[in-house]
Amino acid sequence: MIDIDQVRHVYPGGRKTAPRTALAQLSLRVAEGELAVLSGPNGSGKSTLFRILTGLLRPSSGTVRIGGYDLFADAARARALMGVVFQSPALDKHLTVIENIRLQGALYGLSGSLLTSRIEEALDWSDVKTRLNDKVMTLSGGLARQVELTKCLLARPRLLLLDEPTTGLDPASRRSFQNTLARLHAERGMTVLMTSHIFAEAENAGRVAIMKNGQLLAYDTPGNLRSKLGHEMIVIRSNALESLEGKLKSEAGVVKLRRYGDELRIEDVARDACLPLLERLLERHRSDIVSIAIKQPELEDVFLHVTGHHIDPLGNDAEDLVA
Amino acid sequence: MSVNVAIALAGREWVRFIRQPQRVLGSIGQPLLFWLFLGSGFSPSFKPPGMGEISYLEYFYPGALLMMLLFAGVFSCITVIEDRDQGFLQSVLAAPVARFSIVAGKVGGAALIALFQCLILLVAAPMVGLVPSLGGAGLLLLGLIVASVGFTALGFGIAWGMNSTSGFHAVMMVFLMPLWMLSGALFPTAGAPLWLEAVMLINPVSHALTLIRAPFYADVPQLFSNGGYLTALAVAGLWAVLCLAFSLWRVGRVEKGI
């Protein structure tokens, strides 16, 4: 559905700023019907990639095809396939909910009874049905997001692009939005690509892409990504991090020792070896350890693992998570 | 389909305008007060050569109409900057919409708002003894449409790339106010210094003014046999086309990497 091939994007510099490479030869394919999440630290190139996918920005080189149509050469056909939910609300606050929805319908060439039936269909799942004649500025953040999603569904898109759609929502609204999205994806068989840095959201995704410094570092199912870190790991907090790190390196059974911020992590420990190792470490280094725990790897850990150890090929200054 | 998109976008402009009564009031009030105060103040001393017994209120009336048209149209385009700022524009740009529909919708909507305000002020025309013939009224409307589309498109094209409404305000005031003042709206061209007369000749606003003033005083056959009127019509028409082309070019440009 989405075929990004060797896309490079360099922002032109100003008088005092040098040109900045945001995407470096990035290639990514999202298959039809997939729910993919694009994540990465701030400045990783997610937003640039998203703007390119929505056709608002032309890359320096490389091609983007949506459903087989070149996004820039065949823009109208490619755009007709997709619905976009932007990070900043794309609603007219002065218009009512239904006016916003109708306007969107007109943009996609819908009118008359077709538009009416599409509106019913699009509103089917939402909670805004009773607020249709209210101005958008009176809605809560969660409801406004629902209006955006409704708007996008009008044209029955085969591809839904969402840019951090749950930013600014409270946890309950976020969960409800996620559930809705998952249900729509399952029921309508749409392809969904969503950027997010909330890892709980990525757990339900078919595939997760992790970007950093304009490159794709990993693109796989959440399960496969987690298995990169082995089965379990030991996480240690200490107030003498440096000396403890030195001591732990010589411990038997400690193969992969890494430091993330103020934590030490022993990754990739064999399944049954975790508890004995933990007990042994605690016995020997009790005074250096503030807390110690066994942890199943989560996507966030994969993210740390993948992005924290990457050598920057672009020379951009990046805030490495590894001290 | 692209016509429907333009109509939908223009309709949105209209609804937003009507829902902000202070905008309606402000844009009608300013030229009205301008006209009444300046007109009443200058009338006793206004004796232009070769213009007979014309009161300044009457002389200034078409100028006030034009002022309203210019400022209402151009400043309606400020909403382009707001739309971009608030995110609305991105959903329009991401939709499979012809770029011309965006220009036509936005410019059409803003020009419609300006025309509506003009029509309100037109009610005052008989009070200063300005009653056009039926054909004249038709040409007056044509003149108002051509002028409003031209200057609104100019405002749109300039507003498109800007990210601050105050910046747009400043640019347009520096640009529009002198053009309007030198159009013959405030004082007649005849008797002005030669350089000023030359500026007035190439000023598109003065041609727009001719399109608005002349139909009050002459009928259709007279106007169409008048070289000055036809020139004004051609210049103002060309100006509108150029400004629309400029806007279209601005909208069609997609930011590109290097």
Side-chain angles (χ1 to χ4, degrees), chain A residues 24-60:
Chain A
Q25 306 299 102
L26 186 129
S27 295
L28 176 72
R29 284 182 71 121
V30 180
E32 177 100 45
E34 189 133 54
L35 197 163
V37 168
L38 188 61
S39 64
N42 292 335
S44 60
K46 280 182 314 218
S47 298
T48 302
L49 184 60
F50 193 85
R51 288 185 66 206
I52 290 175
L53 283 173
T54 52
L56 299 183
L57 189 65
R58 262 185 115 104
S60 303

Coordinates of all heavy atoms in Angstrom, one line a residue, chain A residues 24-60:
Chain A
A24 N 17.6 10.0 5.3 CA 18.7 9.5 4.6 C 18.4 8.2 3.9 O 18.3 7.2 4.6 CB 19.9 9.4 5.5
Q25 N 18.1 8.2 2.6 CA 17.9 7.0 1.8 C 17.0 6.0 2.6 O 17.3 4.9 2.8 CB 19.2 6.3 1.6 CG 20.3 7.2 0.9 CD 19.9 7.7 -0.4 OE1 19.5 8.9 -0.5 NE2 19.9 6.9 -1.5
L26 N 15.8 6.5 3.0 CA 14.9 5.7 3.7 C 14.0 4.9 2.8 O 13.4 5.4 1.9 CB 14.1 6.5 4.7 CG 13.2 5.8 5.7 CD1 13.5 6.3 7.1 CD2 11.8 5.9 5.3
S27 N 13.9 3.6 3.1 CA 13.0 2.7 2.3 C 12.1 2.0 3.3 O 12.5 1.5 4.4 CB 13.7 1.7 1.5 OG 14.5 2.4 0.5
L28 N 10.8 2.0 3.0 CA 9.8 1.3 3.9 C 8.6 0.9 3.1 O 8.1 1.6 2.3 CB 9.4 2.4 5.0 CG 8.4 1.9 6.0 CD1 8.9 1.0 7.0 CD2 7.9 3.2 6.8
R29 N 8.2 -0.3 3.4 CA 6.9 -0.8 2.7 C 5.9 -1.2 3.8 O 6.2 -1.8 4.7 CB 7.3 -2.1 1.9 CG 8.0 -1.8 0.7 CD 8.2 -3.1 0.0 NE 6.9 -3.6 -0.5 CZ 6.7 -3.8 -1.8 NH1 7.6 -3.7 -2.7 NH2 5.5 -4.2 -2.2
V30 N 4.7 -0.7 3.6 CA 3.6 -1.1 4.5 C 2.6 -1.8 3.6 O 2.1 -1.3 2.6 CB 2.9 0.1 5.1 CG1 1.8 -0.3 6.0 CG2 4.0 0.9 5.9
A31 N 2.4 -3.1 4.0 CA 1.6 -4.0 3.1 C 0.1 -3.6 3.3 O -0.3 -3.0 4.3 CB 1.8 -5.4 3.5
E32 N -0.7 -3.9 2.3 CA -2.1 -3.7 2.3 C -2.7 -4.3 3.6 O -2.4 -5.5 4.0 CB -2.7 -4.4 1.1 CG -4.2 -4.3 1.0 CD -4.6 -3.2 0.0 OE1 -4.0 -3.1 -1.0 OE2 -5.6 -2.4 0.4
G33 N -3.6 -3.6 4.3 CA -4.3 -4.1 5.5 C -3.4 -4.1 6.7 O -3.9 -4.6 7.8
E34 N -2.2 -3.6 6.7 CA -1.4 -3.6 7.9 C -1.7 -2.4 8.8 O -2.0 -1.4 8.3 CB 0.1 -3.6 7.5 CG 1.0 -3.9 8.6 CD 2.1 -4.9 8.1 OE1 2.7 -4.7 7.1 OE2 2.2 -5.9 8.8
L35 N -1.4 -2.6 10.1 CA -1.5 -1.5 11.0 C 0.0 -1.3 11.5 O 0.5 -2.1 12.2 CB -2.4 -1.8 12.2 CG -2.8 -0.6 13.1 CD1 -4.0 -1.0 13.9 CD2 -1.8 -0.1 14.0
A36 N 0.6 -0.3 11.0 CA 2.0 0.0 11.3 C 2.2 1.2 12.2 O 1.4 2.2 12.0 CB 2.8 0.1 10.0
V37 N 3.1 1.2 13.1 CA 3.4 2.3 13.9 C 4.8 2.8 13.6 O 5.7 2.0 13.6 CB 3.2 2.0 15.4 CG1 3.7 3.1 16.3 CG2 1.7 1.8 15.7
L38 N 4.9 4.1 13.5 CA 6.2 4.7 13.2 C 6.7 5.4 14.4 O 6.0 6.3 14.9 CB 6.1 5.6 12.0 CG 7.3 6.2 11.4 CD1 8.2 5.2 10.8 CD2 6.8 7.2 10.3
S39 N 7.8 5.0 15.0 CA 8.2 5.7 16.2 C 9.7 6.1 16.1 O 10.4 5.6 15.2 CB 8.0 4.8 17.4 OG 8.9 3.6 17.3
G40 N 10.0 6.9 17.0 CA 11.4 7.4 16.9 C 11.5 8.6 17.8 O 10.5 9.3 18.1
P41 N 12.7 8.9 18.3 CA 12.9 10.1 19.2 C 12.6 11.4 18.4 O 12.5 11.4 17.2 CB 14.3 10.1 19.6 CG 15.0 9.2 18.7 CD 14.0 8.3 18.1
N42 N 12.4 12.5 19.2 CA 12.1 13.8 18.5 C 13.3 14.1 17.6 O 14.4 13.8 17.9 CB 12.0 14.9 19.6 CG 10.8 14.7 20.4 OD1 9.8 14.1 20.0 ND2 10.9 15.2 21.6
G43 N 13.0 14.6 16.4 CA 14.0 14.9 15.5 C 14.5 13.7 14.7 O 15.5 13.8 14.0
S44 N 13.8 12.6 14.7 CA 14.3 11.4 14.0 C 13.9 11.4 12.6 O 14.4 10.6 11.8 CB 13.7 10.2 14.7 OG 12.3 10.2 14.7
G45 N 13.0 12.3 12.2 CA 12.6 12.4 10.8 C 11.2 11.9 10.6 O 10.7 11.9 9.5
K46 N 10.5 11.5 11.7 CA 9.1 11.0 11.6 C 8.2 12.1 10.9 O 7.5 11.8 10.0 CB 8.5 10.8 13.0 CG 8.9 9.5 13.6 CD 8.2 9.4 15.0 CE 8.3 10.7 15.8 NZ 8.4 10.8 17.1
S47 N 8.3 13.3 11.4 CA 7.4 14.3 10.9 C 7.7 14.7 9.5 O 6.7 14.9 8.7 CB 7.5 15.6 11.8 OG 7.1 15.3 13.1
T48 N 8.9 14.7 9.1 CA 9.3 14.9 7.7 C 8.7 13.8 6.9 O 8.1 14.1 5.8 CB 10.8 15.0 7.6 OG1 11.3 16.0 8.4 CG2 11.2 15.3 6.2
L49 N 8.9 12.6 7.3 CA 8.3 11.5 6.5 C 6.8 11.6 6.4 O 6.3 11.4 5.3 CB 8.7 10.2 7.2 CG 8.3 8.9 6.4 CD1 9.0 8.9 5.0 CD2 8.7 7.6 7.2
F50 N 6.2 12.0 7.5 CA 4.7 12.1 7.5 C 4.3 13.2 6.5 O 3.4 13.1 5.7 CB 4.2 12.4 8.9 CG 2.7 12.3 9.0 CD1 2.2 11.0 9.2 CD2 1.9 13.4 8.8 CE1 0.8 10.9 9.3 CE2 0.5 13.2 8.9 CZ 0.0 12.0 9.1
R51 N 5.0 14.3 6.5 CA 4.6 15.4 5.6 C 4.9 15.0 4.2 O 4.1 15.4 3.3 CB 5.5 16.7 5.9 CG 5.0 17.4 7.2 CD 5.8 18.7 7.4 NE 5.4 19.7 6.4 CZ 6.2 20.7 6.1 NH1 7.4 20.8 6.6 NH2 5.8 21.5 5.2
I52 N 5.9 14.2 3.9 CA 6.1 13.7 2.5 C 4.9 12.8 2.1 O 4.4 12.9 1.1 CB 7.5 13.0 2.4 CG1 8.6 14.0 2.6 CG2 7.6 12.2 1.1 CD1 10.0 13.5 2.6
L53 N 4.6 11.9 3.1 CA 3.5 11.0 2.8 C 2.2 11.7 2.5 O 1.3 11.2 1.7 CB 3.3 10.0 3.9 CG 4.3 8.9 4.0 CD1 4.1 8.1 5.3 CD2 4.2 8.0 2.8
T54 N 1.9 12.8 3.1 CA 0.7 13.5 2.9 C 0.8 14.5 1.7 O -0.1 15.2 1.3 CB 0.3 14.4 4.1 OG1 1.4 15.2 4.5 CG2 -0.1 13.5 5.2
G55 N 2.0 14.5 1.0 CA 2.1 15.3 -0.2 C 2.4 16.7 0.1 O 2.4 17.6 -0.8
L56 N 2.6 17.1 1.3 CA 2.8 18.5 1.7 C 4.3 18.9 1.5 O 4.6 20.1 1.5 CB 2.4 18.8 3.1 CG 0.9 18.6 3.4 CD1 0.6 19.0 4.9 CD2 0.0 19.3 2.5
L57 N 5.1 18.0 1.3 CA 6.6 18.2 1.1 C 7.1 17.3 0.1 O 6.8 16.1 0.1 CB 7.2 17.9 2.5 CG 8.7 18.3 2.7 CD1 8.8 19.8 2.7 CD2 9.1 17.8 4.1
R58 N 7.9 17.8 -0.8 CA 8.5 17.0 -1.8 C 9.9 16.6 -1.4 O 10.7 17.4 -1.1 CB 8.6 17.8 -3.1 CG 7.5 17.5 -4.1 CD 7.9 18.3 -5.4 NE 8.1 17.3 -6.4 CZ 7.2 17.1 -7.4 NH1 6.1 17.7 -7.4 NH2 7.4 16.2 -8.3
P59 N 10.2 15.3 -1.4 CA 11.6 14.9 -1.0 C 12.7 15.3 -2.0 O 12.4 15.6 -3.1 CB 11.5 13.3 -0.9 CG 10.4 13.0 -1.8 CD 9.4 14.1 -1.8
S60 N 13.9 15.3 -1.5 CA 15.0 15.7 -2.4 C 15.2 14.7 -3.4 O 15.5 15.0 -4.6 CB 16.3 15.8 -1.6 OG 16.1 16.8 -0.5

